[in-house]
Amino acid sequence: RMGIYSYLLEEAKNKNGGRSDTIPFSTKLGMGCISGGIGSFVGTPSEVALVRMSADSRLPPAERRNYTSVANCLVRIFREEGPTKLWRGAAPTVARATLLSSASLGVTSQAKLYLSESGWFGINGSMMGGIPVMFFATLISSFCANIVANPFDVIKSRMQQMPVAADGTALYRSMGDCIVKSVRAEGPMVFYKGFTPAFVKLAPYSIISLTLADKLTRAFTGKDAL
């Protein structure tokens, strides 16, 4: 997703005379949506396997699937439930990734531009090689991303972990059904369960990965990734 976003951002810069400050914030958010959606759709099967294997040990012994590896999990889902089940929960997964990448990548680009022009971090944000600017830009974007992504995390996990009866009947019929049943049972704040640990997990990852991506891209190509 970072590669797609960097490519789209560079194309937008070329159309704006090589300047990033004239690219609308809405355009950056849109590019984040596109890159996140594509990356998430391709990666959904592996995420289904991850969620299934993580949840398997918590099930009663009679209900465990006893997967031996990621490959075994993917093959068994394909054979026992059909190839489309590899994309079970794809709607909330892609929706989540679309909004997460939009907030993470788009907000980072915009925050980086604002902080660089603020003068707080040296001329054009050049203090300490631009590391402080990237730290605060990615910290801001991580918080924004967590706000929009947490509800989808809850829905996605519930749909991917839901038990399926022998006749194929599932607890939730669709993403909408999952939302309605969850709100009725636990109230609207159910979608922000686990917000703090999710932010604690996301922030360091975003700060390190996005800063490395930006600085390595600048070092090898002379261009900004974000």
Side-chain angles (χ1 to χ4, degrees), residues 1 96 100 104 138-139 141-157 190-207:
R1 66 189 179 98
R96 171 194 179 275
L100 177 68
S104 179
T138 51
L139 185 64
S141 69
S142 296
F143 186 76
C144 294
N146 207 47
I147 289 175
V148 299
N150 209 82
F152 291 96
D153 278 335
V154 173
I155 298 167
K156 173 177 65 67
S157 295
V190 66
F191 298 124
Y192 284 94
K193 279 189 172 182
F195 181 88
T196 300
F199 175 68
V200 171
K201 174 187 173 183
L202 177 64
Y205 165 77
S206 296
I207 291 169

PDB file of all heavy atoms in Angstrom, residues 1 96 100 104 138-139 141-157 190-207:
ATOM      1  N   ARG A   1       0.819  -1.207   0.000  1.00  0.00           N
ATOM      2  CA  ARG A   1       0.000   0.000   0.000  1.00  0.00           C
ATOM      3  C   ARG A   1       0.857   1.264   0.000  1.00  0.00           C
ATOM      4  O   ARG A   1       0.512   2.252  -0.639  1.00  0.00           O
ATOM      5  CB  ARG A   1      -0.949  -0.005   1.191  1.00  0.00           C
ATOM      6  CG  ARG A   1      -0.278   0.099   2.557  1.00  0.00           C
ATOM      7  CD  ARG A   1      -1.249  -0.122   3.708  1.00  0.00           C
ATOM      8  NE  ARG A   1      -0.585  -0.036   4.993  1.00  0.00           N
ATOM      9  CZ  ARG A   1      -0.578   1.043   5.760  1.00  0.00           C
ATOM     10  NH1 ARG A   1      -1.192   2.138   5.351  1.00  0.00           N
ATOM     11  NH2 ARG A   1       0.038   1.035   6.925  1.00  0.00           N
ATOM     12  N   ARG A  96     -12.060  -1.180   6.238  1.00  0.00           N
ATOM     13  CA  ARG A  96     -11.147  -0.753   7.299  1.00  0.00           C
ATOM     14  C   ARG A  96      -9.820  -0.282   6.714  1.00  0.00           C
ATOM     15  O   ARG A  96      -9.303   0.779   7.072  1.00  0.00           O
ATOM     16  CB  ARG A  96     -10.895  -1.915   8.262  1.00  0.00           C
ATOM     17  CG  ARG A  96      -9.785  -1.641   9.277  1.00  0.00           C
ATOM     18  CD  ARG A  96      -9.347  -2.928   9.955  1.00  0.00           C
ATOM     19  NE  ARG A  96      -8.269  -2.696  10.909  1.00  0.00           N
ATOM     20  CZ  ARG A  96      -6.981  -2.655  10.603  1.00  0.00           C
ATOM     21  NH1 ARG A  96      -6.590  -2.835   9.342  1.00  0.00           N
ATOM     22  NH2 ARG A  96      -6.066  -2.430  11.539  1.00  0.00           N
ATOM     23  N   LEU A 100      -8.202   3.253   7.008  1.00  0.00           N
ATOM     24  CA  LEU A 100      -6.943   3.270   7.761  1.00  0.00           C
ATOM     25  C   LEU A 100      -5.823   3.876   6.930  1.00  0.00           C
ATOM     26  O   LEU A 100      -5.077   4.741   7.402  1.00  0.00           O
ATOM     27  CB  LEU A 100      -6.569   1.848   8.176  1.00  0.00           C
ATOM     28  CG  LEU A 100      -5.234   1.680   8.913  1.00  0.00           C
ATOM     29  CD1 LEU A 100      -5.298   2.327  10.285  1.00  0.00           C
ATOM     30  CD2 LEU A 100      -4.864   0.214   9.041  1.00  0.00           C
ATOM     31  N   SER A 104      -3.930   7.170   7.682  1.00  0.00           N
ATOM     32  CA  SER A 104      -2.519   6.975   7.989  1.00  0.00           C
ATOM     33  C   SER A 104      -1.604   7.679   6.991  1.00  0.00           C
ATOM     34  O   SER A 104      -0.753   8.492   7.362  1.00  0.00           O
ATOM     35  CB  SER A 104      -2.205   5.478   8.033  1.00  0.00           C
ATOM     36  OG  SER A 104      -0.843   5.262   8.315  1.00  0.00           O
ATOM     37  N   THR A 138       3.463  11.143  11.999  1.00  0.00           N
ATOM     38  CA  THR A 138       2.953   9.775  12.050  1.00  0.00           C
ATOM     39  C   THR A 138       2.197   9.496  13.351  1.00  0.00           C
ATOM     40  O   THR A 138       1.278   8.682  13.371  1.00  0.00           O
ATOM     41  CB  THR A 138       4.098   8.758  11.883  1.00  0.00           C
ATOM     42  OG1 THR A 138       5.154   9.070  12.799  1.00  0.00           O
ATOM     43  CG2 THR A 138       4.650   8.790  10.467  1.00  0.00           C
ATOM     44  N   LEU A 139       2.564  10.180  14.430  1.00  0.00           N
ATOM     45  CA  LEU A 139       1.830  10.025  15.690  1.00  0.00           C
ATOM     46  C   LEU A 139       0.412  10.567  15.531  1.00  0.00           C
ATOM     47  O   LEU A 139      -0.570   9.936  15.962  1.00  0.00           O
ATOM     48  CB  LEU A 139       2.553  10.761  16.813  1.00  0.00           C
ATOM     49  CG  LEU A 139       1.957  10.595  18.223  1.00  0.00           C
ATOM     50  CD1 LEU A 139       2.046   9.139  18.672  1.00  0.00           C
ATOM     51  CD2 LEU A 139       2.682  11.516  19.215  1.00  0.00           C
ATOM     52  N   SER A 141      -1.234  10.935  12.671  1.00  0.00           N
ATOM     53  CA  SER A 141      -1.968  10.094  11.721  1.00  0.00           C
ATOM     54  C   SER A 141      -2.366   8.763  12.350  1.00  0.00           C
ATOM     55  O   SER A 141      -3.429   8.213  12.037  1.00  0.00           O
ATOM     56  CB  SER A 141      -1.137   9.849  10.460  1.00  0.00           C
ATOM     57  OG  SER A 141      -0.012   9.029  10.720  1.00  0.00           O
ATOM     58  N   SER A 142      -1.546   8.242  13.259  1.00  0.00           N
ATOM     59  CA  SER A 142      -1.875   6.981  13.936  1.00  0.00           C
ATOM     60  C   SER A 142      -3.137   7.125  14.770  1.00  0.00           C
ATOM     61  O   SER A 142      -3.995   6.234  14.792  1.00  0.00           O
ATOM     62  CB  SER A 142      -0.719   6.527  14.835  1.00  0.00           C
ATOM     63  OG  SER A 142       0.423   6.232  14.071  1.00  0.00           O
ATOM     64  N   PHE A 143      -3.254   8.250  15.473  1.00  0.00           N
ATOM     65  CA  PHE A 143      -4.440   8.489  16.293  1.00  0.00           C
ATOM     66  C   PHE A 143      -5.680   8.607  15.414  1.00  0.00           C
ATOM     67  O   PHE A 143      -6.726   8.007  15.700  1.00  0.00           O
ATOM     68  CB  PHE A 143      -4.258   9.755  17.122  1.00  0.00           C
ATOM     69  CG  PHE A 143      -5.380   9.995  18.100  1.00  0.00           C
ATOM     70  CD1 PHE A 143      -5.463   9.257  19.272  1.00  0.00           C
ATOM     71  CD2 PHE A 143      -6.351  10.953  17.843  1.00  0.00           C
ATOM     72  CE1 PHE A 143      -6.503   9.473  20.178  1.00  0.00           C
ATOM     73  CE2 PHE A 143      -7.394  11.169  18.735  1.00  0.00           C
ATOM     74  CZ  PHE A 143      -7.472  10.427  19.910  1.00  0.00           C
ATOM     75  N   CYS A 144      -5.571   9.368  14.331  1.00  0.00           N
ATOM     76  CA  CYS A 144      -6.694   9.518  13.405  1.00  0.00           C
ATOM     77  C   CYS A 144      -7.071   8.180  12.780  1.00  0.00           C
ATOM     78  O   CYS A 144      -8.261   7.844  12.652  1.00  0.00           O
ATOM     79  CB  CYS A 144      -6.332  10.516  12.299  1.00  0.00           C
ATOM     80  SG  CYS A 144      -6.078  12.204  12.862  1.00  0.00           S
ATOM     81  N   ALA A 145      -6.073   7.421  12.386  1.00  0.00           N
ATOM     82  CA  ALA A 145      -6.317   6.120  11.758  1.00  0.00           C
ATOM     83  C   ALA A 145      -7.009   5.163  12.715  1.00  0.00           C
ATOM     84  O   ALA A 145      -7.908   4.411  12.328  1.00  0.00           O
ATOM     85  CB  ALA A 145      -4.996   5.519  11.268  1.00  0.00           C
ATOM     86  N   ASN A 146      -6.611   5.203  13.981  1.00  0.00           N
ATOM     87  CA  ASN A 146      -7.215   4.307  14.961  1.00  0.00           C
ATOM     88  C   ASN A 146      -8.683   4.650  15.208  1.00  0.00           C
ATOM     89  O   ASN A 146      -9.511   3.760  15.419  1.00  0.00           O
ATOM     90  CB  ASN A 146      -6.434   4.360  16.273  1.00  0.00           C
ATOM     91  CG  ASN A 146      -6.548   3.074  17.068  1.00  0.00           C
ATOM     92  OD1 ASN A 146      -6.395   1.989  16.523  1.00  0.00           O
ATOM     93  ND2 ASN A 146      -6.836   3.187  18.349  1.00  0.00           N
ATOM     94  N   ILE A 147      -9.003   5.922  15.165  1.00  0.00           N
ATOM     95  CA  ILE A 147     -10.391   6.353  15.360  1.00  0.00           C
ATOM     96  C   ILE A 147     -11.294   5.771  14.269  1.00  0.00           C
ATOM     97  O   ILE A 147     -12.380   5.256  14.544  1.00  0.00           O
ATOM     98  CB  ILE A 147     -10.494   7.887  15.369  1.00  0.00           C
ATOM     99  CG1 ILE A 147      -9.871   8.455  16.651  1.00  0.00           C
ATOM    100  CG2 ILE A 147     -11.954   8.345  15.258  1.00  0.00           C
ATOM    101  CD1 ILE A 147      -9.814   9.969  16.693  1.00  0.00           C
ATOM    102  N   VAL A 148     -10.852   5.837  13.029  1.00  0.00           N
ATOM    103  CA  VAL A 148     -11.701   5.376  11.926  1.00  0.00           C
ATOM    104  C   VAL A 148     -11.635   3.867  11.724  1.00  0.00           C
ATOM    105  O   VAL A 148     -12.579   3.263  11.190  1.00  0.00           O
ATOM    106  CB  VAL A 148     -11.337   6.085  10.596  1.00  0.00           C
ATOM    107  CG1 VAL A 148     -11.531   7.584  10.718  1.00  0.00           C
ATOM    108  CG2 VAL A 148      -9.912   5.781  10.164  1.00  0.00           C
ATOM    109  N   ALA A 149     -10.539   3.239  12.169  1.00  0.00           N
ATOM    110  CA  ALA A 149     -10.360   1.810  11.896  1.00  0.00           C
ATOM    111  C   ALA A 149     -10.907   0.900  12.986  1.00  0.00           C
ATOM    112  O   ALA A 149     -11.285  -0.238  12.699  1.00  0.00           O
ATOM    113  CB  ALA A 149      -8.875   1.500  11.681  1.00  0.00           C
ATOM    114  N   ASN A 150     -10.967   1.380  14.227  1.00  0.00           N
ATOM    115  CA  ASN A 150     -11.346   0.504  15.336  1.00  0.00           C
ATOM    116  C   ASN A 150     -12.715  -0.161  15.162  1.00  0.00           C
ATOM    117  O   ASN A 150     -12.861  -1.357  15.414  1.00  0.00           O
ATOM    118  CB  ASN A 150     -11.294   1.259  16.662  1.00  0.00           C
ATOM    119  CG  ASN A 150     -10.972   0.355  17.827  1.00  0.00           C
ATOM    120  OD1 ASN A 150      -9.811   0.042  18.081  1.00  0.00           O
ATOM    121  ND2 ASN A 150     -12.005  -0.085  18.552  1.00  0.00           N
ATOM    122  N   PRO A 151     -13.749   0.585  14.713  1.00  0.00           N
ATOM    123  CA  PRO A 151     -15.041  -0.077  14.510  1.00  0.00           C
ATOM    124  C   PRO A 151     -14.958  -1.229  13.516  1.00  0.00           C
ATOM    125  O   PRO A 151     -15.598  -2.276  13.700  1.00  0.00           O
ATOM    126  CB  PRO A 151     -15.927   1.054  13.981  1.00  0.00           C
ATOM    127  CG  PRO A 151     -15.328   2.300  14.544  1.00  0.00           C
ATOM    128  CD  PRO A 151     -13.856   2.050  14.506  1.00  0.00           C
ATOM    129  N   PHE A 152     -14.185  -1.058  12.462  1.00  0.00           N
ATOM    130  CA  PHE A 152     -14.048  -2.114  11.461  1.00  0.00           C
ATOM    131  C   PHE A 152     -13.241  -3.287  12.003  1.00  0.00           C
ATOM    132  O   PHE A 152     -13.469  -4.432  11.612  1.00  0.00           O
ATOM    133  CB  PHE A 152     -13.410  -1.557  10.191  1.00  0.00           C
ATOM    134  CG  PHE A 152     -14.310  -0.618   9.448  1.00  0.00           C
ATOM    135  CD1 PHE A 152     -14.205   0.756   9.625  1.00  0.00           C
ATOM    136  CD2 PHE A 152     -15.285  -1.095   8.588  1.00  0.00           C
ATOM    137  CE1 PHE A 152     -15.043   1.627   8.950  1.00  0.00           C
ATOM    138  CE2 PHE A 152     -16.136  -0.235   7.913  1.00  0.00           C
ATOM    139  CZ  PHE A 152     -16.013   1.133   8.094  1.00  0.00           C
ATOM    140  N   ASP A 153     -12.287  -3.011  12.904  1.00  0.00           N
ATOM    141  CA  ASP A 153     -11.535  -4.094  13.539  1.00  0.00           C
ATOM    142  C   ASP A 153     -12.475  -5.001  14.319  1.00  0.00           C
ATOM    143  O   ASP A 153     -12.369  -6.228  14.267  1.00  0.00           O
ATOM    144  CB  ASP A 153     -10.477  -3.530  14.487  1.00  0.00           C
ATOM    145  CG  ASP A 153      -9.218  -3.100  13.769  1.00  0.00           C
ATOM    146  OD1 ASP A 153      -8.951  -3.645  12.679  1.00  0.00           O
ATOM    147  OD2 ASP A 153      -8.505  -2.232  14.285  1.00  0.00           O
ATOM    148  N   VAL A 154     -13.390  -4.377  15.064  1.00  0.00           N
ATOM    149  CA  VAL A 154     -14.334  -5.135  15.876  1.00  0.00           C
ATOM    150  C   VAL A 154     -15.238  -5.987  14.977  1.00  0.00           C
ATOM    151  O   VAL A 154     -15.415  -7.191  15.205  1.00  0.00           O
ATOM    152  CB  VAL A 154     -15.192  -4.193  16.747  1.00  0.00           C
ATOM    153  CG1 VAL A 154     -16.301  -4.974  17.462  1.00  0.00           C
ATOM    154  CG2 VAL A 154     -14.308  -3.472  17.771  1.00  0.00           C
ATOM    155  N   ILE A 155     -15.795  -5.365  13.931  1.00  0.00           N
ATOM    156  CA  ILE A 155     -16.702  -6.079  13.027  1.00  0.00           C
ATOM    157  C   ILE A 155     -15.971  -7.195  12.291  1.00  0.00           C
ATOM    158  O   ILE A 155     -16.451  -8.331  12.187  1.00  0.00           O
ATOM    159  CB  ILE A 155     -17.317  -5.109  12.001  1.00  0.00           C
ATOM    160  CG1 ILE A 155     -18.151  -4.051  12.724  1.00  0.00           C
ATOM    161  CG2 ILE A 155     -18.182  -5.856  10.993  1.00  0.00           C
ATOM    162  CD1 ILE A 155     -18.535  -2.881  11.842  1.00  0.00           C
ATOM    163  N   LYS A 156     -14.774  -6.864  11.785  1.00  0.00           N
ATOM    164  CA  LYS A 156     -13.985  -7.835  11.017  1.00  0.00           C
ATOM    165  C   LYS A 156     -13.654  -9.063  11.863  1.00  0.00           C
ATOM    166  O   LYS A 156     -13.809 -10.195  11.415  1.00  0.00           O
ATOM    167  CB  LYS A 156     -12.703  -7.167  10.529  1.00  0.00           C
ATOM    168  CG  LYS A 156     -11.698  -8.088   9.869  1.00  0.00           C
ATOM    169  CD  LYS A 156     -10.512  -7.303   9.369  1.00  0.00           C
ATOM    170  CE  LYS A 156      -9.718  -6.673  10.462  1.00  0.00           C
ATOM    171  NZ  LYS A 156      -9.019  -7.675  11.331  1.00  0.00           N
ATOM    172  N   SER A 157     -13.186  -8.822  13.080  1.00  0.00           N
ATOM    173  CA  SER A 157     -12.810  -9.932  13.951  1.00  0.00           C
ATOM    174  C   SER A 157     -14.014 -10.803  14.291  1.00  0.00           C
ATOM    175  O   SER A 157     -13.919 -12.034  14.306  1.00  0.00           O
ATOM    176  CB  SER A 157     -12.180  -9.395  15.246  1.00  0.00           C
ATOM    177  OG  SER A 157     -10.961  -8.739  14.963  1.00  0.00           O
ATOM    178  N   VAL A 190     -19.459  -0.433  21.633  1.00  0.00           N
ATOM    179  CA  VAL A 190     -18.835  -1.736  21.383  1.00  0.00           C
ATOM    180  C   VAL A 190     -17.770  -1.620  20.290  1.00  0.00           C
ATOM    181  O   VAL A 190     -16.793  -2.369  20.273  1.00  0.00           O
ATOM    182  CB  VAL A 190     -19.905  -2.773  20.978  1.00  0.00           C
ATOM    183  CG1 VAL A 190     -20.546  -2.420  19.638  1.00  0.00           C
ATOM    184  CG2 VAL A 190     -19.291  -4.171  20.900  1.00  0.00           C
ATOM    185  N   PHE A 191     -17.956  -0.648  19.379  1.00  0.00           N
ATOM    186  CA  PHE A 191     -17.034  -0.500  18.255  1.00  0.00           C
ATOM    187  C   PHE A 191     -15.697   0.123  18.658  1.00  0.00           C
ATOM    188  O   PHE A 191     -14.783   0.203  17.842  1.00  0.00           O
ATOM    189  CB  PHE A 191     -17.678   0.317  17.146  1.00  0.00           C
ATOM    190  CG  PHE A 191     -18.913  -0.323  16.582  1.00  0.00           C
ATOM    191  CD1 PHE A 191     -20.117   0.349  16.559  1.00  0.00           C
ATOM    192  CD2 PHE A 191     -18.866  -1.617  16.094  1.00  0.00           C
ATOM    193  CE1 PHE A 191     -21.263  -0.250  16.051  1.00  0.00           C
ATOM    194  CE2 PHE A 191     -19.998  -2.229  15.590  1.00  0.00           C
ATOM    195  CZ  PHE A 191     -21.207  -1.539  15.572  1.00  0.00           C
ATOM    196  N   TYR A 192     -15.613   0.582  19.911  1.00  0.00           N
ATOM    197  CA  TYR A 192     -14.339   1.139  20.372  1.00  0.00           C
ATOM    198  C   TYR A 192     -13.735   0.309  21.503  1.00  0.00           C
ATOM    199  O   TYR A 192     -12.894   0.788  22.259  1.00  0.00           O
ATOM    200  CB  TYR A 192     -14.506   2.613  20.765  1.00  0.00           C
ATOM    201  CG  TYR A 192     -14.605   3.467  19.533  1.00  0.00           C
ATOM    202  CD1 TYR A 192     -15.841   3.806  19.002  1.00  0.00           C
ATOM    203  CD2 TYR A 192     -13.467   3.857  18.833  1.00  0.00           C
ATOM    204  CE1 TYR A 192     -15.939   4.530  17.822  1.00  0.00           C
ATOM    205  CE2 TYR A 192     -13.553   4.584  17.660  1.00  0.00           C
ATOM    206  CZ  TYR A 192     -14.796   4.916  17.159  1.00  0.00           C
ATOM    207  OH  TYR A 192     -14.874   5.631  15.982  1.00  0.00           O
ATOM    208  N   LYS A 193     -14.161  -0.951  21.561  1.00  0.00           N
ATOM    209  CA  LYS A 193     -13.509  -1.878  22.477  1.00  0.00           C
ATOM    210  C   LYS A 193     -12.060  -2.076  22.047  1.00  0.00           C
ATOM    211  O   LYS A 193     -11.774  -2.270  20.869  1.00  0.00           O
ATOM    212  CB  LYS A 193     -14.233  -3.227  22.470  1.00  0.00           C
ATOM    213  CG  LYS A 193     -15.480  -3.270  23.343  1.00  0.00           C
ATOM    214  CD  LYS A 193     -16.013  -4.689  23.450  1.00  0.00           C
ATOM    215  CE  LYS A 193     -17.125  -4.782  24.476  1.00  0.00           C
ATOM    216  NZ  LYS A 193     -17.628  -6.175  24.621  1.00  0.00           N
ATOM    217  N   GLY A 194     -11.165  -2.019  22.988  1.00  0.00           N
ATOM    218  CA  GLY A 194      -9.755  -2.247  22.679  1.00  0.00           C
ATOM    219  C   GLY A 194      -9.075  -1.079  21.996  1.00  0.00           C
ATOM    220  O   GLY A 194      -8.019  -1.252  21.382  1.00  0.00           O
ATOM    221  N   PHE A 195      -9.650   0.145  22.101  1.00  0.00           N
ATOM    222  CA  PHE A 195      -9.075   1.302  21.410  1.00  0.00           C
ATOM    223  C   PHE A 195      -7.648   1.593  21.877  1.00  0.00           C
ATOM    224  O   PHE A 195      -6.747   1.791  21.056  1.00  0.00           O
ATOM    225  CB  PHE A 195      -9.949   2.538  21.624  1.00  0.00           C
ATOM    226  CG  PHE A 195      -9.438   3.768  20.922  1.00  0.00           C
ATOM    227  CD1 PHE A 195      -9.803   4.030  19.613  1.00  0.00           C
ATOM    228  CD2 PHE A 195      -8.569   4.655  21.557  1.00  0.00           C
ATOM    229  CE1 PHE A 195      -9.318   5.169  18.953  1.00  0.00           C
ATOM    230  CE2 PHE A 195      -8.080   5.779  20.909  1.00  0.00           C
ATOM    231  CZ  PHE A 195      -8.464   6.034  19.599  1.00  0.00           C
ATOM    232  N   THR A 196      -7.450   1.629  23.201  1.00  0.00           N
ATOM    233  CA  THR A 196      -6.122   1.995  23.727  1.00  0.00           C
ATOM    234  C   THR A 196      -5.040   0.995  23.330  1.00  0.00           C
ATOM    235  O   THR A 196      -3.998   1.395  22.797  1.00  0.00           O
ATOM    236  CB  THR A 196      -6.175   2.156  25.257  1.00  0.00           C
ATOM    237  OG1 THR A 196      -7.113   3.194  25.584  1.00  0.00           O
ATOM    238  CG2 THR A 196      -4.806   2.517  25.805  1.00  0.00           C
ATOM    239  N   PRO A 197      -5.240  -0.311  23.558  1.00  0.00           N
ATOM    240  CA  PRO A 197      -4.179  -1.244  23.118  1.00  0.00           C
ATOM    241  C   PRO A 197      -3.978  -1.226  21.606  1.00  0.00           C
ATOM    242  O   PRO A 197      -2.858  -1.435  21.128  1.00  0.00           O
ATOM    243  CB  PRO A 197      -4.683  -2.614  23.599  1.00  0.00           C
ATOM    244  CG  PRO A 197      -6.124  -2.434  23.898  1.00  0.00           C
ATOM    245  CD  PRO A 197      -6.300  -1.008  24.304  1.00  0.00           C
ATOM    246  N   ALA A 198      -5.059  -0.966  20.856  1.00  0.00           N
ATOM    247  CA  ALA A 198      -4.923  -0.896  19.395  1.00  0.00           C
ATOM    248  C   ALA A 198      -4.057   0.293  18.998  1.00  0.00           C
ATOM    249  O   ALA A 198      -3.212   0.197  18.092  1.00  0.00           O
ATOM    250  CB  ALA A 198      -6.294  -0.786  18.740  1.00  0.00           C
ATOM    251  N   PHE A 199      -4.233   1.426  19.692  1.00  0.00           N
ATOM    252  CA  PHE A 199      -3.420   2.605  19.399  1.00  0.00           C
ATOM    253  C   PHE A 199      -1.969   2.381  19.801  1.00  0.00           C
ATOM    254  O   PHE A 199      -1.042   2.755  19.078  1.00  0.00           O
ATOM    255  CB  PHE A 199      -3.973   3.835  20.122  1.00  0.00           C
ATOM    256  CG  PHE A 199      -3.122   5.067  19.962  1.00  0.00           C
ATOM    257  CD1 PHE A 199      -3.009   5.689  18.727  1.00  0.00           C
ATOM    258  CD2 PHE A 199      -2.420   5.592  21.035  1.00  0.00           C
ATOM    259  CE1 PHE A 199      -2.212   6.816  18.554  1.00  0.00           C
ATOM    260  CE2 PHE A 199      -1.618   6.708  20.889  1.00  0.00           C
ATOM    261  CZ  PHE A 199      -1.523   7.326  19.645  1.00  0.00           C
ATOM    262  N   VAL A 200      -1.775   1.758  20.968  1.00  0.00           N
ATOM    263  CA  VAL A 200      -0.413   1.462  21.443  1.00  0.00           C
ATOM    264  C   VAL A 200       0.304   0.532  20.462  1.00  0.00           C
ATOM    265  O   VAL A 200       1.515   0.615  20.275  1.00  0.00           O
ATOM    266  CB  VAL A 200      -0.462   0.846  22.856  1.00  0.00           C
ATOM    267  CG1 VAL A 200       0.918   0.335  23.272  1.00  0.00           C
ATOM    268  CG2 VAL A 200      -0.972   1.864  23.864  1.00  0.00           C
ATOM    269  N   LYS A 201      -0.459  -0.348  19.831  1.00  0.00           N
ATOM    270  CA  LYS A 201       0.121  -1.258  18.835  1.00  0.00           C
ATOM    271  C   LYS A 201       0.384  -0.543  17.514  1.00  0.00           C
ATOM    272  O   LYS A 201       1.429  -0.726  16.890  1.00  0.00           O
ATOM    273  CB  LYS A 201      -0.836  -2.421  18.598  1.00  0.00           C
ATOM    274  CG  LYS A 201      -0.415  -3.351  17.471  1.00  0.00           C
ATOM    275  CD  LYS A 201      -1.500  -4.386  17.180  1.00  0.00           C
ATOM    276  CE  LYS A 201      -1.155  -5.213  15.952  1.00  0.00           C
ATOM    277  NZ  LYS A 201      -2.227  -6.168  15.600  1.00  0.00           N
ATOM    278  N   LEU A 202      -0.584   0.292  17.074  1.00  0.00           N
ATOM    279  CA  LEU A 202      -0.483   0.927  15.756  1.00  0.00           C
ATOM    280  C   LEU A 202       0.559   2.036  15.708  1.00  0.00           C
ATOM    281  O   LEU A 202       1.301   2.153  14.726  1.00  0.00           O
ATOM    282  CB  LEU A 202      -1.854   1.487  15.356  1.00  0.00           C
ATOM    283  CG  LEU A 202      -1.920   2.250  14.027  1.00  0.00           C
ATOM    284  CD1 LEU A 202      -1.597   1.317  12.859  1.00  0.00           C
ATOM    285  CD2 LEU A 202      -3.302   2.873  13.840  1.00  0.00           C
ATOM    286  N   ALA A 203       0.622   2.870  16.755  1.00  0.00           N
ATOM    287  CA  ALA A 203       1.494   4.046  16.725  1.00  0.00           C
ATOM    288  C   ALA A 203       2.968   3.703  16.491  1.00  0.00           C
ATOM    289  O   ALA A 203       3.588   4.263  15.573  1.00  0.00           O
ATOM    290  CB  ALA A 203       1.317   4.863  18.000  1.00  0.00           C
ATOM    291  N   PRO A 204       3.574   2.803  17.280  1.00  0.00           N
ATOM    292  CA  PRO A 204       4.993   2.491  17.019  1.00  0.00           C
ATOM    293  C   PRO A 204       5.227   1.917  15.623  1.00  0.00           C
ATOM    294  O   PRO A 204       6.219   2.250  14.965  1.00  0.00           O
ATOM    295  CB  PRO A 204       5.324   1.461  18.111  1.00  0.00           C
ATOM    296  CG  PRO A 204       4.317   1.686  19.172  1.00  0.00           C
ATOM    297  CD  PRO A 204       3.067   2.091  18.466  1.00  0.00           C
ATOM    298  N   TYR A 205       4.302   1.042  15.187  1.00  0.00           N
ATOM    299  CA  TYR A 205       4.441   0.461  13.849  1.00  0.00           C
ATOM    300  C   TYR A 205       4.422   1.554  12.782  1.00  0.00           C
ATOM    301  O   TYR A 205       5.260   1.563  11.865  1.00  0.00           O
ATOM    302  CB  TYR A 205       3.315  -0.541  13.599  1.00  0.00           C
ATOM    303  CG  TYR A 205       3.159  -0.919  12.142  1.00  0.00           C
ATOM    304  CD1 TYR A 205       4.041  -1.806  11.534  1.00  0.00           C
ATOM    305  CD2 TYR A 205       2.136  -0.363  11.364  1.00  0.00           C
ATOM    306  CE1 TYR A 205       3.909  -2.141  10.195  1.00  0.00           C
ATOM    307  CE2 TYR A 205       2.002  -0.682  10.022  1.00  0.00           C
ATOM    308  CZ  TYR A 205       2.887  -1.572   9.451  1.00  0.00           C
ATOM    309  OH  TYR A 205       2.754  -1.883   8.116  1.00  0.00           O
ATOM    310  N   SER A 206       3.454   2.466  12.895  1.00  0.00           N
ATOM    311  CA  SER A 206       3.324   3.535  11.894  1.00  0.00           C
ATOM    312  C   SER A 206       4.526   4.464  11.924  1.00  0.00           C
ATOM    313  O   SER A 206       5.054   4.850  10.877  1.00  0.00           O
ATOM    314  CB  SER A 206       2.039   4.336  12.133  1.00  0.00           C
ATOM    315  OG  SER A 206       0.899   3.538  11.951  1.00  0.00           O
ATOM    316  N   ILE A 207       4.941   4.843  13.135  1.00  0.00           N
ATOM    317  CA  ILE A 207       6.077   5.762  13.261  1.00  0.00           C
ATOM    318  C   ILE A 207       7.331   5.166  12.633  1.00  0.00           C
ATOM    319  O   ILE A 207       8.029   5.819  11.842  1.00  0.00           O
ATOM    320  CB  ILE A 207       6.332   6.102  14.749  1.00  0.00           C
ATOM    321  CG1 ILE A 207       5.179   6.952  15.291  1.00  0.00           C
ATOM    322  CG2 ILE A 207       7.666   6.836  14.913  1.00  0.00           C
ATOM    323  CD1 ILE A 207       5.195   7.115  16.807  1.00  0.00           C
TER     324      ILE A 207
END
